[in-house]
mmCIF file of all heavy atoms in Angstrom:
data_model
loop_
_atom_site.group_PDB
_atom_site.id
_atom_site.type_symbol
_atom_site.label_atom_id
_atom_site.label_comp_id
_atom_site.label_asym_id
_atom_site.label_seq_id
_atom_site.Cartn_x
_atom_site.Cartn_y
_atom_site.Cartn_z
ATOM 1 N N LYS A 24 56.354 15.452 -29.248
ATOM 2 C CA LYS A 24 57.648 15.196 -28.607
ATOM 3 C C LYS A 24 58.078 13.743 -28.820
ATOM 4 O O LYS A 24 59.229 13.463 -29.158
ATOM 5 C CB LYS A 24 57.567 15.510 -27.113
ATOM 6 C CG LYS A 24 58.897 15.316 -26.417
ATOM 7 C CD LYS A 24 58.848 15.709 -24.964
ATOM 8 C CE LYS A 24 60.231 15.565 -24.357
ATOM 9 N NZ LYS A 24 60.250 15.928 -22.952
ATOM 10 N N GLN A 25 57.129 12.813 -28.624
ATOM 11 C CA GLN A 25 57.449 11.395 -28.809
ATOM 12 C C GLN A 25 57.891 11.123 -30.245
ATOM 13 O O GLN A 25 58.863 10.391 -30.475
ATOM 14 C CB GLN A 25 56.249 10.522 -28.447
ATOM 15 C CG GLN A 25 56.011 10.453 -26.954
ATOM 16 C CD GLN A 25 54.645 9.861 -26.592
ATOM 17 O OE1 GLN A 25 53.824 9.554 -27.460
ATOM 18 N NE2 GLN A 25 54.401 9.711 -25.301
ATOM 19 N N ARG A 26 57.186 11.715 -31.209
ATOM 20 C CA ARG A 26 57.533 11.519 -32.616
ATOM 21 C C ARG A 26 58.910 12.105 -32.910
ATOM 22 O O ARG A 26 59.728 11.491 -33.597
ATOM 23 C CB ARG A 26 56.471 12.166 -33.505
ATOM 24 C CG ARG A 26 56.747 12.071 -34.967
ATOM 25 C CD ARG A 26 56.826 10.596 -35.435
ATOM 26 N NE ARG A 26 56.339 10.490 -36.783
ATOM 27 C CZ ARG A 26 55.158 10.002 -37.114
ATOM 28 N NH1 ARG A 26 54.342 9.531 -36.191
ATOM 29 N NH2 ARG A 26 54.790 9.951 -38.362
ATOM 30 N N ARG A 27 59.171 13.301 -32.368
ATOM 31 C CA ARG A 27 60.480 13.948 -32.567
ATOM 32 C C ARG A 27 61.591 13.055 -32.023
ATOM 33 O O ARG A 27 62.622 12.859 -32.680
ATOM 34 C CB ARG A 27 60.500 15.316 -31.871
ATOM 35 C CG ARG A 27 61.839 16.017 -31.980
ATOM 36 C CD ARG A 27 61.837 17.389 -31.357
ATOM 37 N NE ARG A 27 61.587 17.418 -29.929
ATOM 38 C CZ ARG A 27 62.491 17.061 -28.988
ATOM 39 N NH1 ARG A 27 63.694 16.627 -29.333
ATOM 40 N NH2 ARG A 27 62.184 17.131 -27.709
ATOM 41 N N GLU A 28 61.371 12.497 -30.844
ATOM 42 C CA GLU A 28 62.388 11.641 -30.227
ATOM 43 C C GLU A 28 62.571 10.343 -31.017
ATOM 44 O O GLU A 28 63.685 9.831 -31.133
ATOM 45 C CB GLU A 28 62.042 11.369 -28.766
ATOM 46 C CG GLU A 28 62.218 12.633 -27.916
ATOM 47 C CD GLU A 28 61.728 12.489 -26.481
ATOM 48 O OE1 GLU A 28 61.000 11.509 -26.171
ATOM 49 O OE2 GLU A 28 62.063 13.378 -25.672
ATOM 50 N N THR A 29 61.473 9.816 -31.570
ATOM 51 C CA THR A 29 61.539 8.615 -32.405
ATOM 52 C C THR A 29 62.389 8.883 -33.653
ATOM 53 O O THR A 29 63.166 8.032 -34.080
ATOM 54 C CB THR A 29 60.121 8.162 -32.831
ATOM 55 O OG1 THR A 29 59.366 7.899 -31.654
ATOM 56 C CG2 THR A 29 60.159 6.916 -33.680
ATOM 57 N N LEU A 30 62.226 10.062 -34.209
ATOM 58 C CA LEU A 30 63.004 10.455 -35.396
ATOM 59 C C LEU A 30 64.434 10.868 -35.041
ATOM 60 O O LEU A 30 65.234 11.137 -35.931
ATOM 61 C CB LEU A 30 62.317 11.624 -36.117
ATOM 62 C CG LEU A 30 60.958 11.341 -36.756
ATOM 63 C CD1 LEU A 30 60.308 12.625 -37.233
ATOM 64 C CD2 LEU A 30 61.102 10.354 -37.915
ATOM 65 N N VAL A 31 64.722 10.919 -33.746
ATOM 66 C CA VAL A 31 66.013 11.361 -33.224
ATOM 67 C C VAL A 31 66.346 12.778 -33.723
ATOM 68 O O VAL A 31 67.445 13.052 -34.180
ATOM 69 C CB VAL A 31 67.158 10.351 -33.550
ATOM 70 C CG1 VAL A 31 68.346 10.581 -32.618
ATOM 71 C CG2 VAL A 31 66.686 8.914 -33.441
ATOM 72 N N TRP A 32 65.356 13.638 -33.646
ATOM 73 C CA TRP A 32 65.542 15.052 -33.983
ATOM 74 C C TRP A 32 65.662 15.842 -32.696
ATOM 75 O O TRP A 32 64.951 15.561 -31.733
ATOM 76 C CB TRP A 32 64.346 15.599 -34.751
ATOM 77 C CG TRP A 32 64.239 15.148 -36.181
ATOM 78 C CD1 TRP A 32 64.992 14.199 -36.797
ATOM 79 C CD2 TRP A 32 63.311 15.631 -37.151
ATOM 80 N NE1 TRP A 32 64.572 14.062 -38.105
ATOM 81 C CE2 TRP A 32 63.557 14.928 -38.343
ATOM 82 C CE3 TRP A 32 62.309 16.584 -37.126
ATOM 83 C CZ2 TRP A 32 62.822 15.151 -39.502
ATOM 84 C CZ3 TRP A 32 61.568 16.816 -38.275
ATOM 85 C CH2 TRP A 32 61.835 16.096 -39.454
ATOM 86 N N SER A 33 66.520 16.828 -32.689
ATOM 87 C CA SER A 33 66.604 17.736 -31.546
ATOM 88 C C SER A 33 65.585 18.858 -31.743
ATOM 89 O O SER A 33 65.031 19.019 -32.833
ATOM 90 C CB SER A 33 68.009 18.325 -31.453
ATOM 91 O OG SER A 33 68.231 19.178 -32.564
ATOM 92 N N VAL A 34 65.369 19.637 -30.694
ATOM 93 C CA VAL A 34 64.499 20.807 -30.809
ATOM 94 C C VAL A 34 65.092 21.750 -31.861
ATOM 95 O O VAL A 34 64.364 22.363 -32.638
ATOM 96 C CB VAL A 34 64.330 21.505 -29.438
ATOM 97 C CG1 VAL A 34 63.612 22.835 -29.579
ATOM 98 C CG2 VAL A 34 63.556 20.596 -28.483
ATOM 99 N N ASP A 36 66.722 20.880 -34.524
ATOM 100 C CA ASP A 36 66.382 20.326 -35.840
ATOM 101 C C ASP A 36 64.975 20.758 -36.259
ATOM 102 O O ASP A 36 64.767 21.199 -37.389
ATOM 103 C CB ASP A 36 66.428 18.785 -35.823
ATOM 104 C CG ASP A 36 67.839 18.230 -35.667
ATOM 105 O OD1 ASP A 36 68.797 18.929 -36.074
ATOM 106 O OD2 ASP A 36 67.975 17.118 -35.122
ATOM 107 N N VAL A 37 64.029 20.635 -35.333
ATOM 108 C CA VAL A 37 62.641 21.003 -35.632
ATOM 109 C C VAL A 37 62.558 22.497 -35.941
ATOM 110 O O VAL A 37 61.890 22.910 -36.884
ATOM 111 C CB VAL A 37 61.688 20.627 -34.473
ATOM 112 C CG1 VAL A 37 60.267 21.107 -34.772
ATOM 113 C CG2 VAL A 37 61.695 19.122 -34.240
ATOM 114 N N LYS A 40 63.887 23.056 -39.411
ATOM 115 C CA LYS A 40 63.046 22.504 -40.476
ATOM 116 C C LYS A 40 61.684 23.197 -40.600
ATOM 117 O O LYS A 40 61.053 23.115 -41.643
ATOM 118 C CB LYS A 40 62.820 21.001 -40.243
ATOM 119 C CG LYS A 40 64.079 20.167 -40.423
ATOM 120 C CD LYS A 40 63.853 18.739 -39.950
ATOM 121 C CE LYS A 40 65.123 17.958 -39.787
ATOM 122 N NZ LYS A 40 65.701 17.461 -41.031
ATOM 123 N N MET A 77 56.040 16.377 -38.813
ATOM 124 C CA MET A 77 56.219 15.074 -38.168
ATOM 125 C C MET A 77 55.465 13.969 -38.901
ATOM 126 O O MET A 77 55.505 12.817 -38.509
ATOM 127 C CB MET A 77 55.725 15.130 -36.710
ATOM 128 C CG MET A 77 56.547 15.990 -35.790
ATOM 129 S SD MET A 77 58.186 15.279 -35.482
ATOM 130 C CE MET A 77 59.213 16.531 -36.210
#
Side-chain angles (χ1 to χ4, degrees):
K24 182 176 183 180
Q25 287 167 356
R26 178 61 147 256
R27 177 177 63 75
E28 290 173 346
T29 301
L30 294 171
V31 199
W32 286 8
S33 67
V34 171
D36 291 333
V37 176
K40 292 170 194 282
M77 292 291 116

